[in-house]
Amino acid sequence: KNNGYVAVSLSDLKRALEGRAVLPSKPIILTFDDGYRDFYTDAFPLLKKYKIKAINYIIVNHIGRSGNLDEVMINEMINSGLVEIGCHTLDHVYLPREKVPEVRRQITECKKQLESRFGALVRHFAYPGGYYSDWVVDLVKEAGFETAVATVPGVVQTLDQVYSLKRLRVGNLDQATFGKHLAGPREE
């Protein structure tokens, strides 16, 4: 935030890629996978303090488990207007190795259950482990998602990759290295 980055949503990104919106000069999308409890205890207070938006991709059958978010936490974050939830399947399975009916179930039931339980539209999908294939992408589109994220590193996004958006994994990068990656190439 101190360096002028403005958090936007994945829907904002998609509209901009379609030419229907303009993003700020330094847009950023904060994504978090798996629905871990430390998102609520560590990240969410900072998001509130600095009024920054983010998305957390939830594994439906992990809600309420030890170390994971529970329904009360998820509802509070959604109601804050700062945190959107996305689908990360029912069980975090390796989708390309599963049979089509199971992959379809993992994707569509995740969306249905999250929308039903939390009364929020779920428009965005994250591939477990970042693994996908062309037919998995087709099932994500079929389920009605606007976007999907992978784990391919990068910062340049295009409309033809809206179902395999790139991300930067913060991991154990120091601040200077992360900043270089974030500013990173204008073309990839």
Side-chain angles (χ1 to χ4, degrees), residues 20-38:
R20 298 186 299 123
V22 176
L23 294 177
S25 63
K26 293 173 88 174
I28 190 167
I29 300 170
L30 299 178
T31 66
F32 298 81
D33 290 6
D34 303 327
Y36 291 125
R37 185 175 296 260
D38 64 359

Side-chain angles (χ1 to χ4, degrees), residues 90-102:
L90 295 172
D91 301 297
H92 203 274
V93 297
Y94 180 71
L95 296 174
R97 285 195 188 145
E98 298 291 329
K99 294 190 183 324
V100 171
E102 176 59 12

Side-chain angles (χ1 to χ4, degrees), residues 68-85:
N68 288 92
L69 298 169
D70 63 28
E71 288 194 14
V72 171
M73 294 169 180
I74 294 170
N75 274 313
E76 180 185 341
M77 293 185 304
I78 292 169
N79 291 333
S80 76
L82 295 172
V83 179
E84 183 174 12
I85 58 169

Side-chain angles (χ1 to χ4, degrees), residues 124-140:
H124 310 288
F125 186 85
Y127 303 104
Y131 301 109
Y132 62 97
S133 63
D134 290 342
W135 65 269
V136 171
V137 169
D138 289 342
L139 292 176
V140 169

Side-chain angles (χ1 to χ4, degrees), residues 157-182:
Q157 310 294 355
T158 62
L159 188 56
D160 65 333
Q161 296 173 324
V162 77
Y163 289 98
S164 58
L165 294 170
K166 299 172 187 167
R167 300 193 282 176
L168 288 179
R169 175 171 261 168
V170 176
N172 293 323
L173 298 178
D174 60 56
Q175 186 175 359
T177 304
F178 179 67
K180 286 178 188 174
H181 285 297
L182 193 59

